[in-house]
Amino acid sequence: MATAVVLVGVFAAGAFRYPHFASWAVVRNLFVDNAFLGIAAVGATFVILSGGIDLSVGSVMAFAATLIASLVERHGMHPALAMSVALLAGLGFGALQGALIRGFRLPPFLVTLAGLFFARGAAFAVHPQSIGIRHPFVAQTLNDTLSLRFHLGAKIMTIPCTVFLLLATFGAAWVALRHTRFGRSVYAIGDDEHAAGLMGLPVARTQVGVYAVSGLCSALAGVAFTLYQQSGDPAACKGLELDAIAAVVIGGTLLTGGVGSVLGTLLGVLILGLIQTLIAFQGDLSSWWTRIAVGALVLLFLGLHRGVEGLARRAAAGPDGRG
Amino acid sequence: MRSPLRPIGEAFWSVRWPLAALALLLAFNAAFTPGFFALEVRDGRLFGVLVDILNHGSRVAIVALGMTLVIATGGVDLSVGAVVAISGAVAATLVAQHGAPWPLAMGAALAVSLIAGVWNGVLVTVMRLQPIVATLILMVAGRGVAQLITDGLIITFESPPLAYLGNGSLLGLPVPVAMLAGAFVAFGLVSRRTTLGLFIESIGDNPPAARLAGVPDRLVVLLVYAVCGLCAGAAGLIDCSYIKAADANNAGQLLELDAILAVVLGGTSLAGGRFLLFGSVIGAMIMQTLTKTLYMQNVSADIAPAPKAIAVILVCLLQSPVVRERVRRMRGGGGA
């Protein structure tokens, strides 16, 4: 709710201040430039809903992108196959992190912090520099044929396939969280892991699954990033995990788990993107204001969460006000 | 009557595993890395790989000392890397662009770092945010603040006293080593000779019990985060002194990881409670030796994080209650 208000507010502020802000081009770019972040944030939503945290997102993205570029350009593999390999690697890596967290009761932030280190190092081990992809399948089939074109008056607007990838990921995640046993278990574990176990829910399998989903989403975000940049750079996406977490928090998902939705995350991603657009429109503000604004927004929403939690607890405690 | 040497013996005994790991690393280098132990004296100071490890390890160890206290209260501080960047930015900007005298620049840098630490502490104690989340905010925004201070530029400065911190020597050893020694003694005295250490451990062990026992828990936690910020600020001064410049984008990058890992390697549990300051110093030296070993084995600086991550996960696995329980069962229920 509050997220939607902020989103509309930020957009209205932009439209009010800058003459060309409220245009289809801005909206289009908002989706195109943030498609990979959005996909990564979907994975982060699953993890945070279950009460965990995944800090390895950005590194896994860079690893996937570098792996794809290296396989295609240096080993002559077909891009579709290379992308499948990268997705499998992401899935496996996420599952491994989940298994370590679950099996050995290690703190999620520590395991995924090590994962951040490892995936980044592995990306550089695959190839130490950025590789451009010139394979026709990527340039033409995916980025050209699979894009939609609209005629808006005199201009032609192209929507690249990464946007559809983003929307498809969100759709799939929404269905998975709402209408599958896995999704229900994620919410239940985030709410109260112990109670979920007593209810007979597969806690271990779900927890490992959540990190596997996050790894898969990170790799998929890496694929989107490869398409967006037409290259694989092992140094790319540093700190993207923080943006993903910020988007989830701004989207109204509680960091303690159990409450939130993937729809809110989509709105959160759009707000982050809008802030960057606003700063670009302003022109005389530097890019580091983005970081500060994101930090302030996260703080604001955490404060809101705390307030709501406090109210809920007071309501639950009843008239004698205990709790 | 207690022998005055006994606490020192106990201190070494409690960190026997980290020390063994460090010894193992050094033994590996003795066998496989030529020139690792070579030392020479030039201009009245020591040079060599070991001195280099001590020098850069001290910077990590100073941050790790502050981090140890935070982790002992059951928290964690992810913002130290950003605070390093802010501290360096403040000092360099004041000296280079405003012509401030060096004591003022250093004082201001440390004061700003202290404020950053207090900010974290307030978020944790007053807003009751989880420490990971509370410090994540400064981790995200802090680097932006540092870039704001330097205007996104790399600020170089010419200030012999400020450059002395990272490049000078004291008694033949680099200055950061002396700073670490001072910080270690101060931390050790305050935490073992006053009740503060006991308070910190009791909060990490069982927060409600500590509160019921009358420990001023909020004040102590706030203080601990403030001290951690101050340590990061001191490390930030060393960091900008090394290169005689403040690089807001890269200073202290991933330092939070090295510091947390140093604490964990040193034997302090991430769950909070008992803490080992000496262990954290050894842990920092292990991290630095590992890094240096990898470099000298021709592993590129970009790839080096991967083997480090594996080493850390292995250590954490050995420390995890699940593995300990299994080992205990294999021994037939006896032993520790």
Side-chain angles (χ1 to χ4, degrees):
Chain A
M1 250 308 284
T3 314
V5 172
V6 170
L7 180 66
V8 172
V10 172
F11 192 80
F16 188 69
R17 268 203 81 166
Y18 311 104
H20 299 292
F21 197 84
S23 67
W24 283 112
V26 167
V27 177
R28 172 204 175 261
N29 285 342
L30 199 57
F31 278 91
V32 175
D33 295 338
N34 294 293
F36 56 91
L37 172 62
I39 295 171
V42 169
T45 311
F46 275 86
V47 174
I48 292 174
L49 276 177
S50 79
I53 201 153
D54 187 352
L55 299 175
S56 69
V57 173
S59 300
V60 173
M61 278 177 69
F63 174 72
T66 316
L67 188 65
I68 294 168
S70 166
L71 285 178
V72 171
E73 289 298 320
R74 288 169 66 230
H75 302 280
M77 198 184 266
H78 192 270
L81 189 59
M83 284 172 190
S84 317
V85 171
L87 289 180
L88 273 180
L91 183 75
F93 187 72
L96 178 67
Q97 292 192 124
L100 284 172
I101 291 165
R102 179 65 207 178
F104 295 95
R105 302 294 190 279
L106 295 177
F109 94 91
L110 186 81
V111 172
T112 54
L113 208 60
L116 180 158
F117 261 118
F118 182 81
R120 183 66 66 185
F124 276 101
V126 169
H127 198 266
Q129 282 111 32
S130 176
I131 316 172
I133 302 182
R134 282 176 298 276
H135 196 284
F137 181 74
V138 171
Q140 275 146 33
T141 316
L142 287 182
N143 275 351
D144 211 37
T145 319
L146 281 178
S147 301
L148 274 188
R149 274 180 198 75
F150 292 106
H151 291 270
L152 285 172
K155 275 184 277 185
I156 299 174
M157 190 159 77
T158 323
I159 297 181
C161 63
T162 49
V163 174
F164 302 118
L165 201 59
L166 168 75
L167 296 178
T169 312
F170 268 101
W174 196 78
V175 171
L177 281 174
R178 290 260 147 182
H179 300 290
T180 66
R181 290 176 114 182
F182 175 71
R184 292 270 152 220
S185 306
V186 170
Y187 276 102
I189 290 172
D191 208 30
D192 190 335
E193 189 186 317
H194 190 63
L198 289 178
M199 275 160 59
L201 293 176
V203 175
R205 203 173 354 129
T206 310
Q207 236 173 7
V208 175
V210 155
Y211 287 95
V213 166
S214 181
L216 180 66
C217 282
S218 305
L220 192 62
V223 170
F225 191 73
T226 318
L227 295 175
Y228 177 64
Q229 300 254 309
Q230 301 220 0
S231 68
D233 182 1
C237 305
K238 273 190 182 155
L240 195 111
E241 53 277 350
L242 302 178
D243 288 341
I245 294 169
V248 174
V249 171
I250 294 173
T253 299
L254 290 189
L255 271 166
T256 41
V259 180
S261 82
V262 78
L263 192 67
T265 302
L266 179 60
L267 297 181
V269 170
L270 293 180
I271 290 179
L272 289 188
L274 263 184
I275 292 174
Q276 278 179 2
T277 317
L278 269 180
I279 284 169
F281 261 77
Q282 178 68 29
D284 58 350
L285 283 180
S286 313
S287 61
W288 42 88
W289 277 103
T290 319
R291 310 242 76 179
I292 299 174
V294 169
L297 259 188
V298 170
L299 184 63
L300 176 76
F301 272 83
L302 286 173
L304 274 179
H305 292 175
R306 265 298 116 109
V308 171
E309 265 172 40
L311 282 179
R313 205 172 304 140
R314 217 164 293 157
D320 53 9
R322 282 181 302 126
Chain B
M1 172 148 175
R2 260 166 80 105
S3 148
L5 283 177
R6 218 176 122 197
I8 297 174
E10 278 170 5
F12 273 97
W13 180 244
S14 62
V15 295
R16 59 197 181 280
W17 295 116
L19 271 179
L22 186 59
L24 203 67
L25 258 180
L26 292 176
F28 172 85
N29 281 304
F32 296 105
T33 316
F36 196 84
F37 289 92
L39 287 174
E40 58 172 322
V41 181
R42 239 184 284 153
D43 304 330
R45 63 177 288 194
L46 283 165
F47 281 91
V49 179
L50 284 180
V51 179
D52 197 52
I53 290 174
L54 265 181
N55 187 354
H56 288 260
S58 296
R59 183 185 60 115
V60 179
I62 289 172
V63 180
L65 282 178
M67 188 71 82
T68 309
L69 299 188
V70 169
I71 288 179
T73 64
V76 74
D77 187 350
L78 296 179
S79 72
V80 287
V83 175
V84 162
I86 294 178
S87 161
V90 168
T93 316
L94 279 178
V95 166
Q97 295 185 340
H98 302 283
W102 65 269
L104 180 69
M106 282 190 196
L110 290 178
V112 170
S113 313
L114 189 68
I115 292 171
V118 170
W119 160 268
N120 282 331
V122 166
L123 289 187
V124 172
T125 56
V126 179
M127 273 187 74
R128 304 222 164 249
L129 295 179
Q130 298 148 273
I132 297 179
V133 181
T135 54
L136 195 70
I137 295 172
L138 193 58
M139 183 183 178
V140 177
R143 210 161 277 283
V145 172
Q147 284 174 321
L148 192 67
I149 295 169
T150 61
D151 216 10
L153 304 168
I154 295 176
I155 310 277
T156 56
F157 57 83
E158 281 299 328
S159 165
L162 202 50
Y164 173 76
L165 277 186
N167 303 296
S169 66
L170 204 69
L171 302 176
L173 284 173
V175 179
V177 180
M179 288 174 70
L180 171 64
F184 180 68
V185 169
F187 270 70
L189 284 180
V190 170
S191 66
R192 298 297 177 216
R193 293 288 155 129
T194 71
T195 47
L196 199 59
L198 196 64
F199 281 179
I200 291 171
E201 292 192 339
S202 67
I203 292 170
D205 244 2
N206 190 338
R211 197 172 312 129
L212 289 175
V215 174
D217 57 338
R218 287 192 183 197
L219 187 68
V220 171
V221 171
L222 186 69
L223 189 72
V224 160
Y225 279 93
V227 167
C228 189
L230 195 63
C231 286
L237 286 178
I238 298 174
D239 208 79
C240 76
S241 170
Y242 280 144
I243 55 172
K244 295 181 192 144
D247 181 355
N249 212 7
N250 293 315
Q253 196 77 265
L254 295 179
L255 184 68
E256 53 278 352
L257 304 178
D258 273 350
I260 293 169
L261 300 178
V263 175
V264 175
L265 286 175
T268 301
S269 160
L270 272 172
R274 193 182 68 132
F275 64 90
L276 297 163
L277 292 171
F278 190 44
S280 299
V281 174
I282 300 291
M285 293 305 164
I286 293 176
M287 290 303 292
Q288 196 59 42
T289 312
L290 189 59
T291 311
K292 197 79 191 171
T293 306
L294 290 169
Y295 290 171
M296 293 191 71
Q297 293 293 327
N298 281 329
V299 178
S300 94
D302 292 324
I303 301 176
K308 259 169 140 178
I310 294 175
V312 165
I313 285 293
L314 283 180
V315 170
C316 291
L317 283 183
L318 289 178
Q319 281 192 358
S320 85
V322 176
V323 174
R324 287 200 170 180
E325 185 60 33
R326 217 163 279 171
V327 170
R328 192 179 306 168
R329 233 176 270 159
M330 270 196 291
R331 282 187 189 167

